[in-house]
């Protein structure tokens, strides 16, 4: 199964290998395997190669989100507290993005050398 998921470069290769594994092991009626196969466009590397992810796997992105929201939310929150804290977390993230955009758009990095070409760039 690992080779099927991580070792196939093309969608067709993955589908053929998946079908082989399912058939050889008599798992055609396995509900969970059928459900994850139906969502393969969201998690199989050969299906998501066109999506830029900066070298991160989907689990790394999820862990990053979890880490961010853990600063604001915990299991003991009531529903109302959760909503308020969630909104606060999103507002904080939006503010940081706006600040970074401002820096990118309005501030120039210090140049290591003062050459005409660098000023033009």
């Amino acid at each position: 199964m690992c080779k099927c998921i991580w070792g196939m470069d093309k969608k067709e290769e993955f589908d053929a290998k998946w079908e082989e594994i399912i058939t050889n092991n008599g798992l055609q009626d396995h509900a969970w395997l059928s459900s994850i196969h139906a969502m393969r466009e969201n998690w199989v590397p050969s299906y998501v190669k066109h999506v830029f992810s900066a070298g991160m796997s989907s689990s790394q992105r999820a862990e990053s989100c979890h880490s961010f929201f853990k600063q604001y939310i915990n299991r003991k929150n009531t529903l109302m507290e959760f909503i308020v804290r969630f909104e606060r977390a999103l507002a904080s993230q939006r503010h940081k993005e706006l600040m970074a955009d401002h820096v990118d758009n309005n501030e120039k990095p210090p140049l290591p050398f003062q050459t005409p070409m660098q000023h033009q760039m």
Side-chain angles (χ1 to χ4, degrees):
M1 187 64 79
C2 190
K3 184 179 180 187
C4 174
I5 294 169
W6 298 104
M8 303 296 141
D9 291 328
K10 297 180 180 170
K11 297 174 188 179
E12 297 79 19
E13 291 175 345
F14 169 81
D15 289 332
K17 187 69 171 173
W18 181 274
E19 191 61 39
E20 178 186 328
I21 291 169
I22 297 299
T23 303
N24 290 347
N25 294 288
L27 298 169
Q28 293 88 343
D29 297 326
H30 194 282
W32 183 77
L33 287 174
S34 297
S35 70
I36 65 166
H37 185 260
M39 298 184 299
R40 65 191 176 277
E41 293 87 9
N42 298 322
W43 63 272
V44 175
S46 59
Y47 275 86
V48 294
K49 284 185 176 180
H50 66 281
V51 177
F52 177 73
S53 61
M56 293 177 70
S57 68
S58 59
S59 62
Q60 286 174 311
R61 290 190 302 272
E63 288 170 13
S64 175
C65 287
H66 293 167
S67 173
F68 171 76
F69 284 112
K70 274 186 182 178
Q71 299 172 49
Y72 299 91
I73 300 167
N74 64 49
R75 294 176 190 216
K76 296 177 184 176
N77 295 133
T78 64
L79 180 59
M80 194 61 201
E81 287 175 326
F82 169 80
I83 293 169
V84 169
R85 290 174 180 239
F86 184 81
E87 289 291 329
R88 191 177 303 150
L90 290 179
S92 172
Q93 190 174 35
R94 288 183 189 126
H95 177 72
K96 287 176 184 175
E97 289 175 0
L98 286 171
M99 295 297 289
D101 286 346
H102 173 77
V103 168
D104 288 344
N105 292 329
N106 298 307
E107 297 181 18
K108 294 181 181 178
L111 301 175
F113 306 105
Q114 298 298 322
T115 64
M117 184 176 81
Q118 282 186 330
H119 284 289
Q120 183 181 3
M121 291 174 63

